[in-house]
Amino acid sequence: MSENFSFLKCNPVIEHLVEAAELENIKVYLGGYGSVAGWRETFSEDELKKEIAEHKRCFDELKQFKSVAGFYFPSETSYRDSRLPEKEKRMNYLYRNFVDMVKSYNSDLRVISSPATMHRVERNEEFKDFWHSILENSHMDIIMPQDCIGNACSELSEVDAQWKAWKEVTAAHNIELWSHTEIFERRSYMQKVNLHPCHPDRVAVQLALTAPYVTNHACWEMHYFANPASGPEG
């Protein structure tokens, strides 16, 4: 039973996951307190203090799982074709606070963040400046950008230039670059069911385009879309 989140329905999911991963020699990274702090353009000082406190409350419970390889900072964010100094400062503060919290407990734990890739390639220079501002002295270990092909926020023709920019940014901060490959396609913003499995040929192209820049590929949606129940193309 969770001490801090008893208002939520609790099941021993993590316990079983960690135990199974140990048997299969699989590394586990646990996500922390989820929020929309990274999408907001403005954020008050009180909201920021509450955000920090919630991250700590959640981490204090999750750190009991001794065999995990690290933690995932769950507040997504993105550069969307314009600089936002307040947001950049806030995300830098949140990144630095989260990483320090984890590594103060155990310096061997690694920290991952997974921002979205939503910019046009002609804005690459400003994109890089945006991310240099956020990542300065953050000591983040791994950046795992969402390629955003499935959500139709980026196009396959943009991937090479986008990920070259990601590589330049992460290399400048000594951060390992992974990719999160979206294996679905968005067919609507209005229908109740609007995400569908994409064709495997598209996934192969996504992997091939990002491979020169990354050390790992990951996918959040494998259980949902690489499943016969999801539709014929999956």
Side-chain angles (χ1 to χ4, degrees):
M1 176 64 70
S2 168
E3 292 182 9
N4 294 308
F5 303 96
S6 58
F7 58 93
L8 298 173
K9 183 177 180 179
C10 297
N11 293 297
V13 175
I14 298 177
E15 290 84 348
H16 294 319
L17 169 67
V18 171
E19 182 180 354
E22 288 176 355
L23 292 174
E24 298 295 331
N25 196 29
I26 296 173
K27 292 182 179 179
V28 173
Y29 293 84
L30 293 179
Y33 171 72
S35 79
V36 295
W39 293 118
R40 298 264 300 276
E41 291 192 9
T42 60
F43 215 63
S44 72
E45 286 295 323
D46 286 343
E47 288 175 311
L48 188 58
K49 290 178 182 178
K50 181 180 179 182
E51 180 85 3
I52 294 295
E54 293 293 355
H55 281 296
K56 187 178 187 308
R57 286 207 307 160
C58 190
F59 177 72
D60 283 344
E61 294 200 18
L62 293 177
K63 68 185 183 184
Q64 67 175 293
F65 300 102
K66 304 300 183 184
S67 63
V68 300
F71 287 84
Y72 165 63
F73 177 81
S75 301
E76 299 176 4
T77 194
S78 174
Y79 167 77
R80 303 182 74 175
D81 294 332
S82 64
R83 295 289 301 274
L84 296 169
E86 189 278 330
K87 180 178 177 179
E88 294 168 31
K89 182 179 179 181
R90 177 204 329 149
M91 294 310 300
N92 175 261
Y93 181 77
L94 287 172
Y95 274 16
R96 291 170 66 178
N97 184 277
F98 188 87
V99 174
D100 182 65
M101 175 181 68
V102 172
K103 292 186 178 292
S104 293
Y105 173 71
N106 183 345
S107 61
D108 291 331
L109 292 171
R110 305 188 79 197
V111 181
I112 301 178
S113 181
S114 185
T117 308
M118 305 173 70
H119 70 285
R120 307 285 67 82
V121 296
E122 58 267 24
R123 311 289 296 201
N124 261 354
E125 292 306 312
E126 192 171 81
F127 163 87
K128 288 186 284 188
D129 290 340
F130 175 92
W131 277 103
H132 285 314
S133 175
I134 291 177
L135 293 173
E136 183 179 6
N137 296 320
S138 69
H139 304 295
M140 187 71 67
D141 295 295
I142 300 163
I143 293 290
M144 184 178 67
Q146 305 159 44
D147 65 11
C148 292
I149 298 299
N151 257 316
C153 298
S154 290
E155 299 179 2
L156 289 173
S157 61
E158 299 176 301
V159 170
D160 185 68
Q162 288 173 331
W163 286 77
K164 182 179 179 181
W166 272 124
K167 185 64 175 179
E168 291 178 16
V169 168
T170 53
H173 298 275
N174 197 32
I175 296 172
E176 189 175 352
L177 181 61
W178 294 6
S179 76
H180 162 47
T181 304
E182 294 182 346
I183 64 170
F184 59 88
E185 63 178 50
R186 179 179 289 282
R187 297 180 184 173
S188 168
Y189 284 93
M190 304 300 293
Q191 296 178 0
K192 184 176 181 180
V193 179
N194 52 50
L195 301 178
H196 300 263
C198 74
H199 196 283
D201 288 350
R202 198 203 74 189
V203 177
V205 173
Q206 291 167 254
L207 295 172
L209 288 170
T210 54
Y213 303 107
V214 305
T215 57
N216 252 329
H217 289 103
C219 177
W220 291 342
E221 304 92 16
M222 187 67 69
H223 293 300
Y224 302 107
F225 297 108
N227 185 322
S230 299
E233 288 188 302

